[in-house]
Amino acid sequence: MPSITEPKLISGNANRPLAEAVAKRMSMHRGSNVGLVDARVERFNDQEVFVEIYENVRGEDMFIIQSTSNPANDNLMELLIMSDTLRRSSARSATAVIPYFGYARQDRRTKARTPISAKLVANLIAQSGIERVLTMDLHAAQIQGFFDIPVDNLYASPIFALDVKHHFKDCLDEVMVISPDVGGVARARELAKRIGAPLAIVDKRREKAGEVAEMTVIGNVEGKRCIIVDDICDTAGTLCKAAEVLMEQGAQEVHSYITHGVMSGPAVERVQNSVMKSLVITDSIEPTKPVLDAKNIRVVPTAPMFAQAILNIWGGTSVSSLFDHDTLEPLYEGMYS
């Protein structure tokens, strides 16, 4: 048996910059070079996915870094085929590192004759040979139960807490955390607890999917610097509308912290033209050029957390320890001194 000295990383095409950043951070943590396994993930002319690995992976612990973001189906197939490739190449284990888990919004049947696609995707991943999943801010916590394999769900709130304390350090007593809907209260409460801020809720009512008919603010936001917290920003319609309602209720300014910046359709334009002073997203989905060029959109890195989580999984130590401020702060020391 070969001696296993380091975990090995392989990446698809969904978010190559994040995979390279994770490898770089792991190299810093380990004191030795941790690079991405040399492989090609390409398409045939009819768009079939083809994977070929150029390095020996027999007996190795492999970590596949691949978000299932847009195009969701292509990136999902890349993940499944990479997993099958590793299994047939006698890798010792395969862990799927999925910073953004696509299809997570289809986690239940909202009406008759509709699928639960998140469960289907979970089955596909497990059947492909994946033995563990590492992800961030699942849209619904119960998705962990859809898998028959271990799932480690990281949280962006510890990173956001560091960012808020850094950028609002002179006015932290004026900050109020806002949940954009009742379903996101637990996520918002977690950030509010970390920064010692009060909590308010924007209650939204929909006439049909994608359209908000009415919004009501539960809580007094007058004179507050409001921070909206959510897991996904897709078209940004609800987010921008919530910001307008908060300003109408007397908020001093509105900022948003969103884990997954899907940013589809008119999202970037809406954010740029909205009353929001800033939108902070993570790099769980590779930011497009319009997102990077937008003056009021800022991207915070997740590579330090994912790199340490991979090392903890590989070393058999606690992943939940990364949620502690004293553990996470040194990983982001270069950003938030």
Side-chain angles (χ1 to χ4, degrees), residues 10 51 74 80 106 122 146 157 198 223 227 256 265 289 294 303 306 337:
I10 185 172
V51 175
D74 287 356
L80 299 176
Q106 299 183 48
F146 292 177
S157 58
I227 295 179
S256 294
K289 189 177 185 302
F306 274 111
S337 56

Side-chain angles (χ1 to χ4, degrees), residues 203-238:
D203 178 39
K204 64 184 179 185
R205 301 179 185 180
R206 295 183 187 271
E207 293 294 336
K208 57 182 179 179
E211 293 186 11
V212 178
E214 182 183 353
M215 281 189 170
T216 305
V217 179
I218 304 173
N220 183 14
V221 299
E222 189 171 354
K224 295 292 186 179
R225 300 177 191 269
C226 294
I227 295 179
I228 302 174
V229 181
D230 207 355
D231 63 323
I232 296 174
C233 177
D234 191 349
T235 60
T238 301

